[in-house]
Amino acid sequence: MVNAIYAAEPLDEDAAGGAEGSAGLVTLMLAPMTPHLAEELWEMLGHTEGLWTVSWPAINAELGERR
C-alpha cells in the first residue's frame, strides 16, 4: 500500500489525511503493532479523537479479488 501511495505522488488532499485517506488508513493499520506511534501520527493528521474510536476499514466487495 505504501508503494502505491508513493506511486501516486503528488498526493491530493484526500490521500494525505483523514480516516478515509491513504495516510489515515496506513496509520490505522499500524495501530495494533505500534500503538503509541500510530496515536502520534493520527494526531499529526489533525484528528482530535483517539485512534481507538475509529472502526477498522471495511472490505469493498465491488473491487474484487486482486491476484
Side-chain angles (χ1 to χ4, degrees), residues 6-12:
Y6 283 139
E9 290 284 342
L11 296 177
D12 60 20

Side-chain angles (χ1 to χ4, degrees), residues 22-59:
S22 299
L25 290 174
V26 170
T27 302
L28 184 59
M29 288 186 266
L30 283 172
M33 297 167 284
T34 58
H36 296 91
L37 173 65
E39 280 293 335
E40 291 294 323
L41 293 172
W42 193 247
E43 187 176 315
M44 290 172 74
L45 288 171
H47 298 279
T48 55
E49 76 284 354
L51 188 55
W52 66 89
T53 64
V54 180
S55 300
W56 195 254
I59 296 173

